[in-house]
Amino acid sequence: MFDGRPDRDAEVVFCGRSNVGKSTILRELTGHDFETGKKPGVTRSPGHYDWVAEDFVLTDLPGFGFMSGVEEEHREAIKTDIVRYLETNSEQILVGVLVIDANSAVDIIDRHTERDEIPHDVELFGFLADIDIPTVVAVNKMDKVDDRDERLDALCDRLGLPSPWQQWQDTIAPVSAKRGSIGPLTDAIRSHLHDQHRDDLFKFF
């Protein structure tokens, strides 16, 4: 089980497959370098960024899913730890951000579905809903796709959200973190914070 979580009552967590750009998004948000690994599975414990004077923490959870060179047993252990972390801290987590790669997410989901497996992204999206954590799907690397609306509609379909994607702007946030384009994500996070009467945290987003 992960340990070392700062003692904070408010938290926003970032989760997703390995190498989808979680740490890049967090760097855009905070100006702080989160530990990133060149190889999938290198980041194996959460990265926390907290403000000493504030009762608030941003958390970068380790990547899950297939990782080249990482044994399945270890991959499953990481996923179990992520699930436990989310469950244990659900009362404090104001927003969960599920980061996916716009370029490959739909193909990966379909591949798992064809094998009668529950795709990790779909599973985690559903799990966050089950434990009542408001969720934003940050669809990263949008600059690499040509069929923007079709791709986002297809993703909504896989997540059980009726298209068109534009009606889910509090849930689906197309971004290009490396280009510094994360406005839809910060807007969606702020919307959920506002719903929970936490406009005081807007300054972080």
Side-chain angles (χ1 to χ4, degrees):
M1 178 65 182
F2 302 139
D3 52 18
R5 180 187 182 275
D7 184 17
R8 299 287 184 261
D9 286 332
E11 181 173 9
V12 172
V13 299
F14 287 74
C15 52
R17 289 179 173 278
S18 293
N19 291 0
V20 292
K22 295 188 302 296
S23 300
T24 308
I25 289 174
L26 282 157
R27 190 161 56 241
E28 279 298 317
L29 281 172
T30 65
H32 174 78
D33 270 334
F34 279 70
E35 179 187 345
T36 57
K38 292 291 182 195
K39 295 180 181 175
V42 169
T43 309
R44 297 188 182 185
S45 58
H48 299 289
Y49 190 67
D50 68 327
W51 290 260
V52 174
E54 303 283 347
D55 192 16
F56 173 63
V57 61
L58 277 178
T59 299
D60 178 15
L61 290 172
F64 60 80
F66 176 77
M67 303 170 220
S68 177
V70 179
E71 292 178 9
E72 183 177 358
E73 185 180 337
H74 187 77
R75 295 199 304 263
E76 286 302 313
I78 291 174
K79 199 175 87 171
T80 299
D81 282 345
I82 290 169
V83 165
R84 283 186 187 147
Y85 183 92
L86 293 168
E87 214 162 24
T88 302
N89 299 298
S90 60
E91 295 286 319
Q92 287 78 39
I93 298 172
L94 303 177
V95 185
V97 179
L98 173 59
V99 184
I100 68 167
D101 184 332
N103 224 12
S104 60
V106 171
D107 291 341
I108 291 172
I109 289 170
D110 287 351
R111 224 168 28 239
H112 282 270
T113 304
E114 284 164 10
R115 296 199 296 253
D116 289 328
E117 299 169 357
I118 299 172
H120 292 311
D121 297 300
V122 175
E123 184 180 19
L124 193 52
F125 182 74
F127 178 69
L128 287 163
D130 287 346
I131 57 176
D132 294 324
I133 294 177
T135 305
V136 179
V137 180
V139 191
N140 194 23
K141 308 183 186 181
M142 284 302 298
D143 51 302
K144 296 186 177 178
V145 302
D146 298 324
D147 52 345
R148 176 187 173 88
D149 289 340
E150 292 89 340
R151 190 72 59 107
L152 292 169
D153 283 348
L155 176 65
C156 281
D157 178 59
R158 298 335 185 252
L159 295 175
L161 304 172
S163 56
W165 75 269
Q166 287 91 341
Q167 66 184 313
W168 301 103
Q169 293 194 31
D170 288 348
T171 305
I172 302 293
V175 298
S176 300
K178 277 198 172 173
R179 296 192 172 189
S181 174
I182 60 169
L185 173 59
T186 55
D187 288 348
I189 292 173
R190 283 180 168 212
S191 174
H192 291 299
L193 292 176
H194 178 72
D195 289 345
Q196 297 171 80
H197 310 291
R198 292 305 305 263
D199 292 16
D200 57 303
L201 299 178
F202 280 14
K203 59 192 170 189
F204 300 116
F205 302 99

